[in-house]
C-alpha cells in the first residue's frame, strides 16, 4: 500500500485577498489536537493517535528528524500522564505522596528525542538519598510507582522492555549516591555486560520529578567515565558489534544474524543509525561532553579541536537525517499495511540514485566509527 500525500497546507497561507489564512493553515493540527487533548481521552487513545499526528506533520512537509522530536515530545507527555495517574492511585490507596525527591528518566531514543514509530519502554528512576533504615518503606513506594506507570504505558501500546530496562526493577531504580557508586563499579574494568549497561544509561533525559537529580547523574558520568581507560577501550571495542550494512566489497547488505524478513531488507536501525549514534556517544563521553541528542553531539564535537572537523560534522548530520527519513517512510508504509514499525527498510522501494546515496551514507558512517574507535 502506498502512503497518500495530500496537498501541502502551506499553499493555503494566503487567501484570495492576499491576507494570512491562518484558519486554513492550522486546521489539520486543530482537528487532531482537539482529540489528543480531550480530558476524556485515555493514554491508549492518545498513543493510538500518534500515526495520525505523524501523517499531519508530513502534511506540513516536516523532515523526519523534526518529526522524531515531536513524537518524542508526545511520548514524554504520555510518560508524565502515566506517572501522574500512578501517583494519584498511590495516594488513593493510602501510600501517600512521594517520601523523598525523585526523578524518572527516559532512556535510549526517547531521551535523545529521536523516537520514530513503534518504540518500547526504556526508563530508570533516581531517588534522593535517604537513611538505610528507611529502605523498605521508601524503595517500596518507588517500586510501586515504577510498576504502575510502566504497566499503564504497556497497556496504552508502548510495550514493556524485553531487556527489563525499566524503573520497576532494582537495577534501574537507585538512590543518587547508589547511581554514582554503580558507575564506578561498571567502569572499573572492561567487562562487556557492564559497558553495555552503562551505554544504556548514558542516553537519559528527565521526564518527571526533580530534574536536579538528573543533573547530578550527568556530573557523575562526566567525572568518572572519561578517566576509566579500560572501560573506554571496551566501549570502543563494542562498536564492532554494530557492523554497518556493507559487505566486504562495499555493497549494501544486512548482517545474516539479524534474520531479515526477505532478501531485499536491510536493518537501517541496527546497521546504520545505531553505529552512528554509538560512535557519537563514545566521542562525547571520551571528551567529557554532556550532550545527549545525536544531532547536538555531532555539532558539539565539531567545536572540539582535532576531533571532528566542521565539514565532517555537517556531512554526518545530513547522513543522520536521511537515515531517519528512510526509516520513517518505511514505518509509515508498514503501519498503513497493518505491519510492525521496525528498523527494516525494503531496498526495492529505492530508486537507483537513492541506493547510491544510501551506500554513500553507510560508507560515511563506517569511516566515522573507525575514527571514534581510534580516538
Amino acid at each position: 500500500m502506498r502512503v497518500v500525500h495530500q496537498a501541502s497546507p502551506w499553499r493555503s497561507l494566503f487567501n484570495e485577498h492576499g491576507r494570512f489564512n491562518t484558519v486554513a493553515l492550522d486546521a489539520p493540527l486543530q482537528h487532531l489536537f482537539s482529540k489528543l487533548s480531550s480530558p476524556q481521552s485515555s493514554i491508549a487513545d492518545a498513543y493510538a493517535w500518534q500515526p495520525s499526528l505523524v501523517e499531519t506533520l508530513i502534511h506540513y512537509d516536516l523532515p523526519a528528524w523534526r518529526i522524531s522530536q515531536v513524537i518524542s515530545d508526545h511520548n514524554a507527555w504520555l510518560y508524565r500522564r502515566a506517572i501522574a495517574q500512578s501517583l494519584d492511585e498511590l495516594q488513593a490507596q493510602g501510600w501517600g505522596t512521594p517520601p523523598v525527591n525523585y526523578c524518572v528518566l527516559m532512556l535510549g531514543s526517547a531521551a535523545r528525542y529521536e523516537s520514530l514509530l513503534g518504540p518500547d519502554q526504556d526508563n530508570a528512576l533516581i531517588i534522593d538519598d535517604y537513611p538505610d533504615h528507611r529502605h523498605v518503606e521508601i524503595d517500596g513506594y518507588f517500586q510501586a510507582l515504577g510498576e504502575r506507570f510502566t504497566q499503564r504505558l504497556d497497556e496504552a501500546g508502548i510495550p514493556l522492555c524485553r531487556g527489563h530496562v525499566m524503573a520497576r526493577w532494582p537495577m534501574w531504580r537507585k538512590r543518587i549516591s547508589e547511581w554514582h557508586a554503580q558507575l564506578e563499579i561498571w567502569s572499573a574494568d572492561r567487562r562487556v555486560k557492564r559497558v553495555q549497561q552503562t551505554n544504556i544509561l548514558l542516553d537519559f533525559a528527565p521526564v518527571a520529578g526533580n530534574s536536579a537529580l538528573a543533573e547530578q547523574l550527568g556530573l557523575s558520568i562526566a567525572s568518572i567515565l572519561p578517566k576509566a581507560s579500560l572501560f573506554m577501550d571496551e566501549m570502543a571495542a563494542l562498536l564492532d558489534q554494530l557492523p554497518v550494512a556493507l559487505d566486504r566489497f562495499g555493497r549494501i547488505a544486512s548482517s545474516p544474524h539479524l534474520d531479515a524478513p526477505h532478501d531485499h531488507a536491510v536493518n537501517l536501525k541496527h546497521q546504520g543509525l545505531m553505529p552512528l549514534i554509538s560512535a557519537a556517544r563514545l566521542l562525547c563521553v571520551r571528551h567529557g561532553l554532556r550532550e545527549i541528542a545525536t544531532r547536538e553531539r555531532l555539532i558539539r564535537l565539531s567545536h572540539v579541536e582535532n576531533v571532528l572537523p566542521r565539514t565532517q560534522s555537517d556531512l554526518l548530520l545530513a547522513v543522520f537525517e536521511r537515515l531517519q527519513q528512510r526509516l520513517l517512510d518505511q514505518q509509515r508504509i508498514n503501519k498503513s499495511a497493518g505491519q510492525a514499525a521496525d528498523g527494516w527498510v525494503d531496498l526495492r522501494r529505492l530508486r537507483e540514485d537513492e541506493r547510491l546515496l544510501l551506500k554513500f551514507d553507510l560508507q560515511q558512517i563506517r569511516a566515522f566509527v573507525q575514527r571514534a574507535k581510534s580516538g
Side-chain angles (χ1 to χ4, degrees), residues 132-360:
D132 288 343
H133 71 268
R134 296 189 63 192
H135 178 73
V136 172
E137 166 207 350
I138 294 178
D139 187 68
Y141 179 95
F142 288 108
Q143 178 182 347
L145 174 62
E147 289 173 349
R148 281 163 171 75
F149 86 74
T150 55
Q151 186 63 35
R152 277 183 162 82
L153 291 172
D154 179 64
E155 292 170 355
I158 304 178
L160 299 172
C161 174
R162 288 179 292 181
H164 305 297
V165 181
M166 293 175 293
R168 58 167 51 202
W169 302 109
M171 172 66 76
W172 300 99
R173 184 185 70 249
K174 302 180 189 296
R175 285 174 279 189
I176 184 61
S177 60
E178 291 172 328
W179 277 118
H180 185 91
Q182 186 73 76
L183 284 165
E184 291 183 325
I185 293 170
W186 281 347
S187 62
D189 50 28
R190 51 180 305 170
R191 297 189 188 182
V192 172
K193 186 64 176 178
R194 290 178 175 180
V195 179
Q196 291 172 332
Q197 290 169 326
T198 308
N199 270 333
I200 294 171
L201 182 64
L202 288 174
D203 293 352
F204 70 91
V207 69
N210 188 341
S211 61
L213 292 168
E215 178 70 15
Q216 290 182 54
L217 177 64
L219 291 172
S220 292
I221 290 170
S223 66
I224 294 171
L225 297 191
K227 297 181 291 188
S229 57
L230 292 176
F231 172 89
M232 295 304 301
D233 288 346
E234 186 62 30
M235 190 174 174
L238 279 179
L239 290 176
D240 290 334
Q241 295 188 8
L242 295 168
V244 178
L246 294 170
D247 64 17
R248 61 193 182 95
F249 300 108
R251 299 172 300 198
I252 301 174
S254 195
S255 175
H257 80 273
L258 291 177
D259 195 21
H262 53 77
D263 292 341
H264 303 279
V266 170
N267 197 310
L268 281 192
K269 177 181 177 180
H270 289 290
Q271 292 192 268
L273 277 178
M274 292 312 300
L276 173 57
I277 290 166
S278 300
R281 179 195 302 124
L282 169 63
L283 285 174
C284 280
V285 173
R286 181 180 289 151
H287 293 280
L289 307 178
R290 296 179 56 191
E291 282 74 13
I292 299 297
T294 304
R295 286 178 53 83
E296 294 174 2
R297 282 171 169 165
L298 291 172
I299 293 170
R300 183 69 178 86
L301 287 168
S302 69
H303 297 290
V304 181
E305 188 175 359
N306 298 324
V307 174
L308 188 66
R310 176 63 182 273
T311 54
Q312 191 69 15
S313 170
D314 291 344
L315 176 58
L316 290 170
L317 281 170
V319 168
F320 177 68
E321 292 170 9
R322 285 193 290 265
L323 261 60
Q324 280 192 304
Q325 189 70 58
R326 296 202 191 285
L327 270 175
L328 182 60
D329 289 346
Q330 182 71 63
Q331 288 184 347
R332 291 170 60 220
I333 289 174
N334 290 2
K335 294 287 282 187
S336 69
Q339 300 170 354
D342 52 27
W344 293 96
V345 167
D346 189 345
L347 294 178
R348 293 172 296 189
R349 292 190 56 252
L350 303 183
R351 300 187 308 265
E352 181 61 24
D353 62 310
E354 292 175 324
R355 284 181 180 241
L356 290 172
L357 185 55
L358 176 57
K359 178 180 175 180
F360 172 82

Side-chain angles (χ1 to χ4, degrees), residues 86-87 90-91 94-103 125-131 133-146 173 175 209-210 213:
S86 299
L87 288 170
L90 288 170
Q91 177 84 23
W95 290 76
T97 58
V100 294
N101 280 330
Y102 70 97
C103 183
L125 184 56
I126 307 173
I127 306 169
D128 207 356
D129 284 330
Y130 56 81
H133 71 268
R134 296 189 63 192
H135 178 73
V136 172
E137 166 207 350
I138 294 178
D139 187 68
Y141 179 95
F142 288 108
Q143 178 182 347
L145 174 62
R173 184 185 70 249
R175 285 174 279 189
N210 188 341
L213 292 168

Side-chain angles (χ1 to χ4, degrees), residues 42-59:
S42 65
I43 300 175
D45 290 336
Y47 182 66
W49 273 98
Q50 200 167 92
S52 298
L53 171 63
V54 170
E55 292 306 313
T56 300
L57 297 176
I58 291 288
H59 189 48

